[in-house]
């Protein structure tokens, strides 16, 4: 048993040590991007008492359609809190992530994507404008 513990500790130290050299080398290759748009709700489907699916059209500040997003949300009716997943499709690929509902909209994490967004990580901030419009900021690194 002690041997296993030692090997696990040595492996962890080795990984941490490797990370000290690998992170700075990789960190210089990341590029920061920010996308801002308004998400306009098109369709909402109530799947159960606690889950909904929603499809939105995303437009830039000039009102031009730049993409579409899908939400899958689970909501606690008693606490009015919720969480879910999203996908955002636009020219160049698709971005995916997780969301936590807030009193003013949602915050979340970008967990990956396809095409231009392959390997993307970052954050999401969504602020409610009206019942059907939400201001969205996606800040991500590729």
């Amino acid at each position: 048993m002690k041997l296993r513990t030692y090997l696990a500790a040595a492996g962890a130290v080795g990984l941490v040590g490797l990370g000290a050299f690998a992170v700075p080398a990789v960190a210089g290759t990341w590029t920061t991007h920010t996308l801002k748009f308004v998400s306009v709700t098109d369709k909402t489907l109530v799947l159960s008492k606690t889950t909904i699916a929603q499809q939105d059209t995303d437009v830039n500040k000039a009102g031009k359609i730049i993409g579409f997003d899908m939400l899958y949300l689970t909501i606690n009716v008693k606490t009015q809190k919720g969480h879910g997943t999203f996908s955002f499709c636009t020219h160049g690929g698709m971005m995916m992530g997780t969301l936590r509902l807030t009193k003013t909209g949602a915050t979340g994490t970008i967990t990956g994507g396809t095409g231009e967004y392959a390997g993307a990580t970052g954050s999401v901030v969504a602020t409610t404008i009206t019942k059907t419009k939400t201001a969205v900021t996606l800040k991500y690194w590729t």
Side-chain angles (χ1 to χ4, degrees):
M1 191 62 101
K2 289 182 181 181
L3 178 61
R4 287 185 193 169
T5 304
Y6 173 76
L7 290 174
V13 169
L15 290 175
V16 171
L18 175 62
F21 294 103
V23 171
V26 174
T29 64
W30 290 88
T31 303
T32 302
H33 307 273
T34 302
L35 285 173
K36 293 184 178 189
F37 55 88
V38 173
S39 180
V40 182
T41 302
D42 289 325
K43 301 282 183 187
T44 301
L45 178 62
V46 178
L47 301 171
S48 73
K49 289 182 179 182
T50 58
T51 58
I52 64 166
Q54 182 173 304
Q55 186 272 318
D56 303 332
T57 298
D58 302 320
V59 298
N60 64 16
K61 60 184 173 185
K64 180 182 175 190
I65 296 174
I66 61 161
F68 301 93
D69 66 78
M70 292 289 300
L71 306 174
Y72 179 82
L73 302 172
T74 301
I75 302 166
N76 182 319
V77 181
K78 290 180 182 179
T79 64
Q80 293 298 304
K81 294 183 179 181
H83 64 278
T85 58
F86 75 91
S87 61
F88 167 65
C89 300
T90 189
H91 178 73
M94 180 169 67
M95 192 180 298
M96 295 156 284
T98 60
L99 294 172
R100 283 255 172 240
L101 300 181
T102 66
K103 291 181 180 179
T104 59
T107 60
T109 303
I110 296 167
T111 59
T114 65
E116 290 179 17
Y117 309 109
T121 60
S123 63
V124 179
V125 176
T127 306
T128 303
I129 300 170
T130 67
K131 189 174 180 178
T132 60
K133 291 183 180 181
T134 304
V136 178
T137 301
L138 302 174
K139 187 171 185 176
Y140 64 98
W141 300 266
T142 57

